[in-house]
Amino acid sequence: MNSSFWTVVGFTARNKLRTKAFIVTTLIIAVIMSIGINLPYIISQFSGEGKPTAVGYMETREDQLGSQLFTASHIGSLLTEYYKQQPKPELEIVSTKPASNEDQDNEAALKQAVADGTIDGYITFTPNKEGFPTVTYKSESLMESKVSQSLKIALQVVKQEAVLNGGGLSDELKKLLQSTIQFDTVQISTSGGAGSIGQGKTEDEQGMDMLTVYVIIILLFMAIMISGQMIASEITAEKSSRVMEILITSVAPLKAMFGKIFGMFLVVLLQLAIYVLVIIGNMSMPQNKDKLSSLGITLSDIDPVLVLYALLFFLTGYYLYATLFAAIGSIVSRTEDLGQAVLPITMLSLAGFYICILGGINNPGSTLVKVSSFIPFFSPYAMVCRLGLSDPPLWQVWLSIGILLATILGAGWLSAKIYRAGVLMYGKKPTLREIGKAMRAYK
């Protein structure tokens, strides 16, 4: 390629990077990403979620003491011990001495403690025929799902602990009953012969692969949507302003089209790189880094082979859709008609995206995902999903790549002919018959 191609690339990239709309949009999206990533931490700072929620209870009255195993005092002390053993307790159990022998007076005292801010809520115990009392959590808030769920888990543990301690079991048996089951999942490979069995990925590596698939699919979708609209609108704007007539006298139509596609690719690549850096920077902050560590997410678990295949499908998927957007943009004379013209291509990209997000992530081995991985408009999404979450045979992967490359060549050839004929078609909306005639006339 001579210098005219790179001139179009440089002009397209510089022209887009210098626009205020591009700069402002990039900054706004980066700020929204930063706020979204840190939103849980921001909410916790203003709502006081950083400290445990104080939950009160009334100790057992003297007239209720006896041989009962599940008294309020006993359950309360077990709950207190349970939360004290946690590294970051969600709740703090606060005991209150009975004010009188009347239940109404004691509950009124607990309500007053809530009104004074001493506690955030309180629990009451109602005798139950099954032995363990019915526990009710009361607070001023309408929805306290986090507190309720924590109390349900804690009470189940407390009930088990009380029964074990009251049953006269030995410490060895109690330890055996309370110990958690060791359960792991490993992905195996059956396509590489008997030697590959059991050489698959651990649970942490599978989780990292799923995260990688999510990121690649979302980035590909963003790249197609952003660059496609920019390519089509750029060509349509040049047509409507008659700049195209001057441009094609200096640069061949093919070089102009592919120069714009590559120039927009560099712009989108820079924009996505900024977003990735923003995500990495925010996730590296102390409050987010601890959460990632607790989830077992580490960059060392990323599969480099998956990344290489994902980049290959990312590039091929981008160029397939970019050529189609360029062809559509060349036949539209007014920017007002552009949205309707590119809608079919947008729907194809949306279909591939939703096939993976709604179906492929949960069931990468489904027939829909397998078939979609060989359809070139969907394969950049579907095959990446299969590569990350299952173990497709190598011949299927390269067959999908071959079909995709052949489709890109065919779409590039067709788009180039449409582009050469469409850039000089003005006036009314061109029909398929008129476009066909112009393509045959342009040799």
Side-chain angles (χ1 to χ4, degrees):
M1 294 184 182
N2 55 26
S3 60
S4 59
F5 171 81
W6 295 108
T7 300
V8 176
V9 172
F11 173 79
T12 303
R14 287 193 300 269
N15 187 45
K16 181 56 64 176
L17 291 173
R18 289 174 180 173
T19 57
K20 292 183 179 179
F22 175 82
I23 298 173
V24 172
T25 302
T26 303
L27 290 175
I28 290 175
I29 295 177
V31 171
I32 292 175
M33 283 183 172
S34 300
I35 295 175
I37 294 172
N38 295 284
L39 188 60
Y41 175 74
I42 295 173
I43 293 176
S44 66
Q45 294 300 305
F46 285 96
S47 62
E49 291 184 5
K51 60 180 182 179
T53 302
V55 177
Y57 75 95
M58 188 65 64
E59 294 182 359
T60 308
R61 303 195 310 267
E62 292 184 1
D63 61 331
Q64 294 177 326
L65 293 175
S67 60
Q68 297 182 24
L69 181 62
F70 301 120
T71 62
S73 296
H74 189 203
I75 296 174
S77 62
L78 291 176
L79 284 173
T80 303
E81 186 65 23
Y82 170 81
Y83 283 108
K84 283 184 177 180
Q85 292 176 355
Q86 295 183 353
K88 292 182 179 180
E90 298 176 338
L91 306 182
E92 179 187 1
I93 307 301
V94 180
S95 63
T96 303
K97 297 292 184 182
S100 67
N101 290 332
E102 297 294 332
D103 291 337
Q104 294 180 348
D105 295 338
N106 292 329
E107 186 161 356
L110 290 172
K111 288 182 179 179
Q112 186 60 42
V114 174
D116 296 338
T118 307
I119 56 177
D120 300 299
Y122 61 91
I123 51 178
T124 60
F125 304 93
T126 305
N128 194 318
K129 295 180 180 179
E130 296 181 358
F132 195 84
T134 300
V135 184
T136 306
Y137 175 70
K138 302 180 181 180
S139 68
E140 291 184 307
S141 301
L142 180 63
M143 295 293 290
E144 285 282 7
S145 57
K146 184 178 179 181
V147 176
S148 300
Q149 188 64 26
S150 178
L151 280 172
K152 286 180 182 178
I153 296 173
L155 287 167
Q156 188 65 35
V157 174
V158 163
K159 177 184 176 182
Q160 180 180 344
E161 180 71 19
V163 172
L164 291 177
N165 290 334
L169 295 178
S170 63
D171 294 339
E172 291 77 8
L173 286 176
K174 287 192 293 184
K175 184 178 180 181
L176 179 61
L177 287 173
Q178 293 175 341
S179 62
T180 58
I181 298 174
Q182 299 298 320
F183 180 80
D184 295 322
T185 60
V186 175
Q187 178 194 10
I188 63 173
S189 174
T190 60
S191 60
S196 64
I197 301 296
Q199 302 296 322
K201 299 175 181 178
T202 64
E203 189 173 359
D204 291 340
E205 290 172 339
Q206 292 176 53
M208 200 65 216
D209 284 352
M210 180 176 289
L211 180 61
T212 304
V213 168
Y214 263 114
V215 172
I216 292 296
I217 289 175
I218 292 174
L219 289 180
L220 175 59
F221 181 74
M222 290 178 61
I224 290 173
M225 291 295 99
I226 295 172
S227 65
Q229 292 289 341
M230 287 196 299
I231 291 170
S233 61
E234 186 84 5
I235 295 173
T236 303
E238 289 176 353
K239 279 191 63 177
S240 61
S241 62
R242 300 283 179 169
V243 174
M244 186 63 69
E245 297 179 1
I246 303 174
L247 181 62
I248 62 173
T249 60
S250 304
V251 183
L254 285 180
K255 293 179 181 178
M257 185 185 80
F258 288 106
K260 287 185 179 298
I261 291 174
F262 190 73
M264 286 299 178
F265 172 72
L266 296 178
V267 173
V268 173
L269 200 62
L270 175 62
Q271 195 172 37
L272 292 179
I274 293 173
Y275 296 155
V276 170
L277 290 176
V278 169
I279 293 173
I280 294 175
N282 282 280
M283 297 306 291
S284 300
M285 297 178 70
Q287 68 273 14
N288 298 322
K289 193 174 182 180
D290 294 339
K291 290 184 178 180
L292 290 178
S293 299
S294 63
L295 295 174
I297 298 177
T298 56
L299 296 179
S300 60
D301 289 332
I302 296 179
D303 186 355
V305 177
L306 172 61
V307 173
L308 290 176
Y309 277 118
L311 289 176
L312 179 58
F313 278 101
F314 178 88
L315 294 174
T316 51
Y318 167 83
Y319 278 103
L320 174 61
Y321 280 96
T323 54
L324 298 177
F325 274 107
I328 295 297
S330 66
I331 63 176
V332 178
S333 301
R334 300 188 307 168
T335 54
E336 293 84 357
D337 302 327
L338 186 60
Q340 184 178 0
V342 300
L343 183 61
I345 306 176
T346 303
M347 295 303 295
L348 281 175
S349 180
L350 275 171
F353 178 77
Y354 282 117
I355 285 173
C356 289
I357 293 297
L358 300 180
I361 296 295
N362 297 323
N363 189 10
S366 65
T367 303
L368 176 62
V369 178
K370 288 182 178 179
V371 173
S372 299
S373 63
F374 298 104
I375 300 175
F377 297 106
F378 305 148
S379 59
Y381 298 107
M383 189 52 82
V384 170
C385 187
R386 291 184 63 192
L387 283 165
L389 305 178
S390 64
D391 184 36
L394 194 59
W395 68 268
Q396 292 187 9
V397 178
W398 285 103
L399 177 60
S400 176
I401 293 174
I403 295 174
L404 187 54
L405 291 175
T407 307
I408 291 174
L409 292 176
W413 173 81
L414 181 62
S415 298
K417 296 198 71 173
I418 295 175
Y419 184 88
R420 289 187 300 184
V423 289
L424 294 179
M425 295 178 67
Y426 293 92
K428 64 178 182 178
K429 296 180 181 180
T431 63
L432 293 176
R433 186 175 181 181
E434 292 174 345
I435 295 173
K437 286 182 179 180
M439 290 169 60
R440 289 191 295 270
Y442 198 110
K443 302 295 182 181

